Amino acid sequence: MRWAPLLVEWSVTTTGGLVAGLVPVAVLGVVLGVLIYFGPDAPVAKAVSEGGTGAPPPSRIQLGVVALFFLLSVGVEVGIGGWVFSFAKDAGADAALVTTGFWSAFTLCRLIVVLIGHRATPARILYTSGGVAALGGVLLVMADRNTSLLLCGVTMIGAGIAPQFPTLLLFAERRIEASGSSMSVILAAAGVGGAGLPWLMGQIIELQGTDILPWLGLVGAVGTLAWMFVVAVVLPPPVR
């Protein structure tokens, strides 16, 4: 639950327990489940149900480029989301609020992509989300312990990263064959990124202090955006 830090803090402070925080979680889960169940089918699901898109199998280079994107994107997502609490606390900001801002924006934007993402091309969503995350990284670096800018930057990074995983899956599926072997490589890379990059960030933070996190976020967001263009160049045109 992405709003857990703020909900737990509020529930414990006001009622002395967790029940008050669990009720909105249950209600939200039911509402989101109903919206997704009755919402439009994702384009990738339609392609699979119709027997595939006819896209060619990926070469090793193409698969490696796509896998590296997922490694970077998931690594930045988990790394920033995991370390932002410590950074905000050391910066004198409301750490629970800042952490909740990141995950709230992340969850909301991923839901928006699921519900209305079929109205825009995957490329447009990818470049827009990458630009938003990069701009958030800039604001985070500029914040210099300014709580408002810090919250804005963290929120924009969360909002920008959120659509990238599902959207690149669709982007790649229209260009290369989404076989079991290629998906296993992609998901393995995402797992390595989700475990390895946060650990690496932790080692750097241990040496430099939490003040280095904004620069790590900026480098991660800009690097992911740059790699989007590499993916677009390496992969073949989409299958119509």
Side-chain angles (χ1 to χ4, degrees):
M1 179 62 191
R2 307 308 191 184
W3 295 277
L6 196 60
L7 280 175
V8 169
E9 182 182 54
W10 170 79
S11 181
V12 172
T13 301
T14 57
T15 68
L18 297 175
V19 175
L22 293 177
V23 172
V25 173
V27 172
L28 182 62
V30 172
V31 172
L32 293 180
V34 171
L35 288 175
I36 293 173
Y37 182 82
F38 290 103
D41 292 334
V44 66
K46 292 180 179 179
V48 172
S49 65
E50 294 169 2
T53 62
S59 66
R60 290 185 178 181
I61 293 178
Q62 291 170 338
L63 184 57
V65 167
V66 172
L68 184 55
F69 176 89
F70 283 100
L71 187 152
L72 291 172
S73 180
V74 175
V76 172
E77 167 195 329
V78 178
I80 298 299
W83 287 106
V84 69
F85 184 92
S86 299
F87 165 70
K89 184 177 180 180
D90 290 348
D94 187 333
L97 177 62
V98 171
T99 305
T100 299
F102 176 88
W103 288 117
S104 297
F106 180 94
T107 304
L108 179 61
C109 287
R110 181 158 287 186
L111 176 62
I112 289 173
V113 169
V114 170
L115 295 177
I116 66 173
H118 60 286
R119 299 181 182 179
T121 64
R124 179 174 296 180
I125 295 175
L126 278 175
Y127 297 142
T128 301
S129 65
V132 170
L135 181 57
V138 172
L139 291 179
L140 194 58
V141 169
M142 294 173 55
D144 192 25
R145 298 180 181 268
N146 182 299
T147 302
S148 298
L149 276 180
L150 191 157
L151 180 59
C152 185
V154 165
T155 301
M156 290 182 68
I157 292 177
I161 292 174
Q164 293 178 9
F165 189 101
T167 304
L168 189 71
L169 279 178
L170 179 57
F171 182 88
E173 187 269 342
R174 292 180 174 179
R175 290 163 171 78
I176 56 175
E177 182 182 40
S179 64
S181 59
S182 62
M183 286 302 300
S184 65
V185 172
I186 288 172
L187 294 179
V192 170
L197 286 188
W199 174 84
L200 181 59
M201 287 183 179
Q203 302 306 303
I204 297 174
I205 288 172
E206 182 71 21
L207 294 174
Q208 303 291 331
T210 55
D211 286 343
I212 197 66
L213 184 67
W215 289 102
L216 296 177
L218 177 61
V219 171
V222 172
T224 304
L225 175 60
W227 202 251
M228 290 179 189
F229 291 95
V230 177
V231 172
V233 170
V234 170
L235 295 189
V239 175
R240 300 297 180 183

